[in-house]
Amino acid sequence: SSFDLVISDFAAMEVAEGKLFDLLRPQSPAIVVANADHFGRTGPYAEWAGDELTDYAMGGYWALAGDPGKAPLRVPGYQAQFHAGMHLALGAMAALRHARLTGEGQELEVTGVEAMLGAHWSTTVAWTHEGRVLKRLGSDLFKASDGWVFFYRLGLYPNLFILIDQPELMEDPRWATITSWLANAAELWGMVEAWCRTRPMAEIVAAAQQLRIPATPVETASTLLADDGLKQRGFFEGSGGTQLPGRPYVWSSSWPAAGAPSLLRDALQKPSKERVASPVPLTSRGKLTSAGPLTGLKVLEVTNNWAGPIAGRHLGDLGADVIKVELASKSATRLSHYPGKEPGKYHWNRSGYFNEMNRNKRDVSLNLALPRGRELFLELVRGVDVVVENNSARVMPNLGLGYDQLSAVNPRLVMASISGFGATGPRKDWVAFGSNIEAACGLAAITGYVDGVPQRTGSFVADPIAGAHAVVGILAALERRDRTGAGSHLDISLAESAMPFMLEAFAYRNEHGENMPFRGNGDPSSAPVGAFRSFGTDEWIAIAVRTDEQWRALCSVSGLDEAAGSSAEQRLASAEAIEQRLEQWTSTLPQYDCVRALQAVGVPAAPILHNWQMHCDPHLFARNAFIPIEHPDTGVLPYPAFPWRFSATQPRVRMAAPRFAEANHYVFGRMLGLTPEQIAGLYADGVTADEPSGLVPVVV
């Protein structure tokens, strides 16, 4: 009864789902129980033996990375479990807010597998919308004279020809449009690769960024620990002579240090008597019924791409009323992944990328660069709790809509700003996307085959990490606001968000004085561990033998000689020979047959799922890991569901992703009180629009 939250990691055979909360509720009705598990405590795999490798295998990232023809490549460390822990924190904080507003506690569950499933964009919609099976493409990094660099390749950047000293190609029709740019990409990037080989990494990146081309160096733990910008932002925290990643936020007003006198800390130690839930708002489609622990929270979202939209989606999924503000001339995420590869007349409403990231939101078109657009935005800010934006660090301040201006009209406002490298420091104006951050945060420097080259994940993992971190920070800021009355601003860097997931690289650097070498899929403390071929084309399974008991169980079904690895030390010393012999057995069995045989004797194993397989797996189906959503322009299609399972306030899809400017008249008329004539004037003056402009469909 003295605690608000219990965090646990029970498996199904230890404590059934809901049991712990039922035991604690009589003593503390508002208690929140948050449980992390590998597969969850219901479903066909509930009693399977779990491991970091099984979670990552089924989470969809493993199959994407590495060279074609070789085993798929995993990112070292505890990536799936870090995702699970991050979402457990997020879900627990949302449940705690609900409990303090209503007195209603509950239990929630997060699994490593489902936390990873929520960290995708094209991986799932490429299959469900276009029927594309995603394959490994190998390393997409370029060798410099002294290291490696990465260029973001999905946009149209004519200045690239200035960078490589061939400006005459700027007028070449092969690269005049985004469609032709992508069609001739191999030739283009071949020229860039040749140019990079003769130049140092720092020179390449500095010249590219000056031309607003998204390029970043492949950083290592050593270069990051020595980085002046990270030192300036106070990112790393020291203890006992070591430096490790700190919190991925810079706050407008600092939190009190442990032991320091603080009115805030004193307030946080006392229950608030003034916390009252906001009235539940109405939506443009009807009444917004209670669903999710954040019901009543009001959010404005000014975002693009992935990190900001998924932060807004998490808030909307958890019950918040989210209004997305879009600019008619810059709706880039409405450009791809059309069902059946058919853009249709209103293609901007059919983009799988946009529709995946923006459910449970309303949409208004507003040009913030015009004085009237800015005025209307400030009027909206007066009535909301949160603003989320993920533009370049200079965009909102240059519009006169930085935190200082917004807090002047709403002192209780919480604002989260997400950018590539944060709003301060020498890299604050760098152009970056999630793919660049995999190079810049140290991920690529530790991901590779033994004696190979650095590789990325095949997706853009920094975006979903930063988006979830943003929600954790927002919930913390709301808690402080509710107790003190003061809002705050969170400056969130994609690079700093991802670095805690590379913790092992920094720990290795601190311990050994050098950067962590490539390990392939292996593990320095256990064997056999990794990806093993099964019967079929590019079919693989993950196996992780951590104990003598698991080794004996493995030998009992695979025919391996138990005496060849009777101790952990012996197995490590003979790892290569053992794993070769093991793959001779696994390669004769279909993927799921092999996994089931291993799990039947308690060996942690799982299929390494391709994007299409994620929609066919029996366990994911049984747990509703994908949810069908009906959209007026696409029909019914499945999308990743929710990474949390709440016992009392389970999220649901209240509305599909919005059509462009769908809520214009609701926002301008009902919320802001403008007359039909005034709204017509907004259209005439270019302050708003019903359709985006200048968007050319992209079909791969």
Side-chain angles (χ1 to χ4, degrees), residues 331-673:
S331 298
T333 57
R334 291 183 176 271
L335 278 177
S336 63
H337 298 87
Y338 311 106
K341 297 187 178 181
E342 175 54 55
K345 182 176 182 179
Y346 305 110
H347 61 84
W348 50 84
N349 294 328
R350 289 173 51 81
S351 166
Y353 182 8
F354 182 90
N355 291 344
E356 180 180 21
M357 295 296 159
N358 292 285
R359 66 186 180 222
N360 286 331
K361 301 176 187 177
R362 292 179 285 175
D363 192 271
V364 63
S365 171
L366 198 57
N367 187 343
L368 302 181
L370 297 177
R372 184 58 175 149
R374 180 180 181 276
E375 290 174 6
L376 293 171
F377 185 78
L378 289 173
E379 283 299 313
L380 290 171
V381 167
R382 293 180 192 277
V384 302
D385 301 287
V386 177
V387 169
V388 180
E389 62 98 4
N390 73 318
N391 304 280
S392 296
R394 60 187 179 180
V395 168
M396 295 298 278
N398 285 354
L399 290 170
L401 296 172
Y403 179 67
D404 289 344
Q405 289 82 16
L406 301 190
S407 62
V409 301
N410 184 352
R412 291 172 54 83
L413 180 72
V414 171
M415 183 178 186
S417 297
I418 310 169
S419 59
F421 296 92
T424 61
R427 297 181 178 180
K428 65 183 178 66
D429 292 326
W430 275 22
V431 185
F433 298 90
S435 52
N436 298 80
I437 302 302
E438 292 191 357
C441 74
L443 181 151
I446 61 173
T447 305
Y449 300 103
V450 177
D451 300 324
V453 300
Q455 304 242 8
R456 297 190 310 107
T457 64
S459 187
F460 313 141
V461 70
D463 282 279
I465 293 174
H469 275 317
V471 179
V472 172
I474 287 167
L475 291 170
L478 288 169
E479 180 71 12
R480 177 163 69 170
R481 183 205 68 177
D482 289 352
R483 297 182 180 212
T484 68
S488 53
H489 182 218
L490 294 82
D491 168 16
I492 301 168
S493 154
L494 264 73
E496 291 167 14
S497 292
M499 280 183 222
F501 280 55
M502 307 307 120
L503 179 63
E504 189 174 7
F506 294 103
Y508 188 97
R509 172 65 176 76
N510 284 324
E511 182 177 355
H512 298 281
E514 60 185 19
N515 291 316
M516 193 172 84
F518 295 139
R519 295 175 178 166
N521 291 311
D523 188 290
S525 61
S526 305
V529 166
F532 299 86
R533 189 183 299 275
S534 62
F535 184 85
T537 303
D538 198 29
E539 300 294 308
W540 302 81
I541 66 170
I543 300 174
V545 173
R546 307 290 188 185
T547 67
D548 293 344
E549 181 182 8
Q550 290 171 353
W551 167 251
R552 290 190 292 270
L554 174 67
C555 294
S556 72
V557 294
S558 68
L560 289 175
D561 179 10
E562 186 177 319
S566 56
S567 68
E569 293 76 16
Q570 188 178 5
R571 292 193 293 275
L572 281 170
S574 307
E576 184 174 356
I578 289 173
E579 290 171 358
Q580 286 179 353
R581 176 68 185 88
L582 177 58
E583 189 163 287
Q584 290 175 5
W585 173 72
T586 62
S587 62
T588 66
L589 296 174
Q591 188 181 38
Y592 276 82
D593 287 356
C594 190
V595 167
R596 291 183 181 115
L598 292 167
Q599 284 288 350
V601 296
V603 176
I608 296 177
L609 298 181
H610 293 286
N611 66 326
W612 66 271
Q613 291 177 298
M614 294 157 66
H615 294 271
C616 305
D617 183 82
H619 185 72
L620 299 181
F621 175 78
R623 287 181 60 86
N624 298 311
F626 292 91
I627 186 168
I629 300 178
E630 180 181 356
H631 188 283
D633 288 281
T634 66
V636 181
L637 287 163
Y639 296 93
F642 315 105
W644 334 273
R645 290 164 68 97
F646 293 88
S647 62
T649 59
Q650 179 61 13
R652 64 183 178 84
V653 177
R654 306 185 306 278
M655 56 183 103
R659 292 167 161 172
F660 183 83
E662 180 180 78
N664 268 10
H665 287 271
Y666 171 79
V667 171
F668 297 137
R670 185 164 180 178
M671 292 184 66
L672 297 179

